[in-house]
Amino acid sequence: MTEQAPAAYAGKRRVLSGVKPTGDLHLGNYLGALVKFTRMQHEAETFIFVADLHAITEWQDPAKLTAQTREIAAAYLAAGLDPKIATIFPQSAVTEHAELAWIFNCVARVGWLDRMTQFKDKSGKNKEKASVGLYTYPVLQAADILLYKATHVPVGDDQKQHVELTRDIAAKFNHDFDAPGYFPLPEPIHQGAGARIMSLRDASEKMSKSNPSDAARINLTDDADAVAQKIRKAKTDPLPLPETVDELKDRPEAQNLVGIYAALDGRTSAEVLTEFAGEGFGAFKPRLADLAVAKLGPVGTEMRRLMADPAEIDKVLAAGAERARAAAAPTLAEVKKLVGFWGA
Ligand code: TYM
């Protein structure tokens, strides 16, 4: 792992992250999260879960939630997570997440949560009608991370603020309960190409599951024709691609498509521009479409194969839940003791 373990933490390096089962997974989730999970599983002990407790902060149809959970697990496996190496589990199967979240609710300050931009974005003008869970969502996320004493959290750019809050909660807990260094201060791993993939229709918005236009995103389950068509129709400008990344600054659509190419190909945007400088989108888009189909096609095919065999997915999730519980239980027991609960 290139990133240093957080200073002053003597424990071992651990990677943890998760994705909410709230609908179709898209290219942003794949490049911002799944690709990193797959890489990092070889660099440290890795816990990757399906964030179903987080999913229900907004209404989820109970008849669909289990299938959505399996779909995320299928995506993890299809993207290359190996259940023999990484612990893959459903969040709700490890009840310690919710228990630690309650304790952290009493550590975190209202002022800290008031600053969380995701709550503001998601609740919009209708704050009074948002669930209380949506408001305390980042506290549960801190519990997810710290329950396993994770040191590195691979996420897209939009989750950076939540990992920073996790650091604040860890530091305050360590201080309040006189346990210096007990929880590590985890690092968000959000840098690099793929950290912020934007909508194909409006590059001022991030690519998201909630965008009503399906043309704005590439879903992991899209077939080759759909992927190629969405890239062909992606909004662009009339200029040729420039020679330097700096010149992309005021061209958000061009910047996004070059960034997608770079992330899919494991290169930097500068390297992509060295190859394509002077070319128009008429030449660039077909190359991008070919690359996207070549990289995503096998992932979609494997997801479909796995989803046709729920028993195989369930086996992975059940074994992962057992391993996760074994890792989580000692932390919660120690925390209860530190807090002073009876019988702990
Ligand atoms: P979620 O389900 O919204 O997104 C899953 C992951 O995908 C990343 N992502 C993106 N990356 C690049 N470009 C985009 N357009 C894009 N859209 C989404 C997200 O940053 C995320 O990494 N709160 C988390 C789930 C969670 C979690 C955790 C993550 C719950 N507990 C503990 C890490 C650690 C979420 O809602 O992700």
Side-chain angles (χ1 to χ4, degrees):
M1 193 173 310
T2 42
E3 298 80 13
Q4 292 297 304
Y9 181 65
K12 58 182 165 182
R13 288 176 175 202
R14 268 189 177 169
V15 170
L16 175 135
S17 197
V19 175
K20 287 191 307 262
T22 47
D24 280 342
L25 274 172
H26 55 72
L27 184 65
N29 301 128
Y30 179 70
L31 295 174
L34 270 58
V35 168
K36 288 188 216 158
F37 301 170
T38 304
R39 194 185 69 231
M40 292 178 82
Q41 69 181 331
H42 301 294
E43 300 169 351
E45 191 179 4
T46 296
F47 292 83
I48 303 293
F49 63 97
V50 185
D52 52 358
L53 296 178
H54 278 100
I56 64 161
T57 55
E58 294 176 288
W59 172 252
Q60 301 299 322
D61 182 346
K64 295 191 184 146
L65 187 57
T66 296
Q68 289 169 193
T69 298
R70 289 193 184 113
E71 184 171 347
I72 301 292
Y76 289 161
L77 298 170
L81 272 182
D82 179 349
K84 288 195 286 302
I85 302 178
T87 299
I88 302 170
F89 63 100
Q91 185 185 24
S92 63
V94 184
T95 54
E96 283 85 352
H97 288 246
E99 246 185 293
L100 185 60
W102 177 257
I103 295 170
F104 284 171
N105 270 329
C106 304
V107 173
R109 304 291 93 181
V110 170
W112 298 359
L113 290 187
D114 280 345
R115 286 195 288 276
M116 295 294 115
T117 54
Q118 190 165 31
F119 177 73
K120 288 181 202 157
D121 293 347
K122 292 211 166 200
S123 59
K125 291 195 189 78
N126 227 348
K127 194 168 133 216
E128 305 293 314
K129 296 254 168 69
S131 74
V132 176
L134 190 66
Y135 184 69
T136 64
Y137 177 116
V139 177
L140 176 59
Q141 187 159 345
D144 301 334
I145 296 168
L146 296 175
L147 190 55
Y148 302 91
K149 299 189 178 161
T151 54
H152 294 82
V153 185
V155 281
D157 202 51
D158 61 340
Q159 296 298 314
K160 182 172 159 243
Q161 195 185 32
H162 291 165
V163 184
E164 282 163 359
L165 179 90
T166 302
R167 294 167 65 90
D168 290 340
I169 291 176
K172 189 166 189 303
F173 181 95
N174 292 350
H175 173 268
D176 289 358
F177 295 100
D178 199 17
Y182 179 71
F183 282 124
L185 307 191
E187 300 280 355
I189 307 298
H190 65 99
Q191 307 80 351
R196 193 166 174 79
I197 303 295
M198 309 309 281
S199 153
L200 298 180
R201 306 302 308 160
D202 174 359
S204 68
E205 288 178 0
K206 68 173 187 170
M207 186 177 283
S208 86
K209 298 169 196 168
S210 50
N211 194 313
S213 164
D214 192 58
R217 66 183 159 262
I218 292 173
N219 303 304
L220 285 193
T221 46
D222 282 346
D223 63 23
D225 285 349
V227 171
Q229 200 193 27
K230 285 176 181 178
I231 291 175
R232 209 167 37 242
K233 290 199 171 157
K235 205 174 150 210
T236 45
D237 59 37
L239 302 174
L241 286 167
E243 282 179 7
T244 63
V245 174
D246 232 29
E247 294 166 87
L248 286 175
K249 214 168 59 230
D250 299 319
R251 298 175 59 189
E253 290 86 13
Q255 189 177 43
N256 190 34
L257 294 186
V258 169
I260 291 174
Y261 194 106
L264 281 170
D265 211 25
R267 290 200 270 169
T268 63
S269 292
E271 285 165 346
V272 172
L273 289 180
T274 308
E275 186 178 340
F276 288 101
E279 302 267 15
F281 285 99
F284 181 70
K285 279 180 167 181
R287 293 283 302 278
L288 176 58
D290 287 349
L291 177 65
V293 168
K295 295 281 177 180
L296 302 179
V299 178
T301 306
E302 179 62 0
M303 272 180 80
R304 279 186 288 275
R305 186 192 73 75
L306 286 161
M307 278 169 349
D309 185 4
E312 188 180 334
I313 299 175
D314 288 352
K315 233 164 71 189
V316 169
L317 290 175
E322 200 173 314
R323 257 153 64 185
R325 272 186 230 115
T331 309
L332 190 71
E334 287 160 4
V335 165
K336 284 174 143 179
K337 203 175 221 140
L338 285 167
V339 172
F341 284 149
W342 178 88

